Amino acid sequence: MQGFGKHEAGSSDTRAPVAPSTAGTRRETPRPAPAVPVGSGPTDATRQLARSPLLAAKLYADVLAWPVAVLGAEAVVTCGEILDITTMPSDLGADVDRVLLAEGFPTPIMEVRSLAPEHPRSWAFVSASARGDHDDLLTAFAVHKVDHFGDGAYIPLPPSPAYVRTLLRWVTPPSLGAEARRLVSWERLAAGICRAVGLPVSESPDWL
């Protein structure tokens, strides 16, 4: 997906996203989110997620317990230990979202929108980190332009301007309420992708 690095079929990309502000121009170690006071109400929190990368990073780290740091002026999450990010074309993403919602598994989704017309919009699903290897499944997913980021990949989060010509926004923002730290499992997300594209789904406990 444009904006989130290059992939080989059947592999989980562990490299940092290639962006003018984070790669290729300088090497910078992500630093912890600053101790900036956040608003006291849901409206304030929603505004911070939408407007300020620094305040958003504070919310991601403190409220959601996501491994988010600040790189330049961006809020960047490290995948692999707590959460993974899986990207796909937006039309497929809408189908997967409907499957997950029908099964009672809402999940945070962000949109990656390029200002270049040749690059379509993509959706990025946030899930708990995958357990074990799923190389065969990722190979099957690659046909549908589904990419998985885990095991140390650095991914910018909204409202960070990941690229000069790319915009990030939440389609489904992460919950900041009682269920704030609960994420759908990657295996459950993968099952939703399988159902959306017509692949067989394993119902074994190890899978779900």
Side-chain angles (χ1 to χ4, degrees), residues 32 45 63 79 81 96 108 110 128 144 171 193 201:
V63 178
C79 301
E81 292 187 6
V96 173
M110 65 176 173
H144 303 278
V171 176
I193 297 171
V201 179

Side-chain angles (χ1 to χ4, degrees), residues 73-150:
E74 296 181 342
V76 179
V77 66
T78 302
C79 301
E81 292 187 6
I82 295 176
L83 61 82
D84 288 357
I85 289 180
T86 302
T87 67
M88 63 196 72
S90 58
D91 54 349
L92 174 57
D95 292 338
V96 173
D97 186 36
R98 282 191 288 269
V99 170
L100 292 176
L101 289 176
E103 296 177 344
F105 295 101
T107 186
I109 305 168
M110 65 176 173
E111 179 187 67
V112 182
R113 181 167 61 90
S114 173
L115 300 181
E118 66 271 20
H119 296 295
R121 288 183 295 178
S122 298
W123 281 14
F125 286 70
V126 182
S127 70
S129 292
R131 303 187 301 270
D133 295 324
H134 302 286
D135 289 347
D136 291 343
L137 187 58
L138 292 172
T139 299
F141 283 175
V143 175
H144 303 278
K145 300 181 180 179
V146 175
D147 292 321
H148 170 239
F149 294 86

Side-chain angles (χ1 to χ4, degrees), residues 184-206:
V184 66
S185 70
W186 186 85
E187 289 72 21
R188 179 71 67 177
L189 171 60
I193 297 171
C194 286
R195 291 187 174 96
V197 301
L199 292 173
V201 179
S202 170
E203 299 294 346
S204 69
D206 288 343

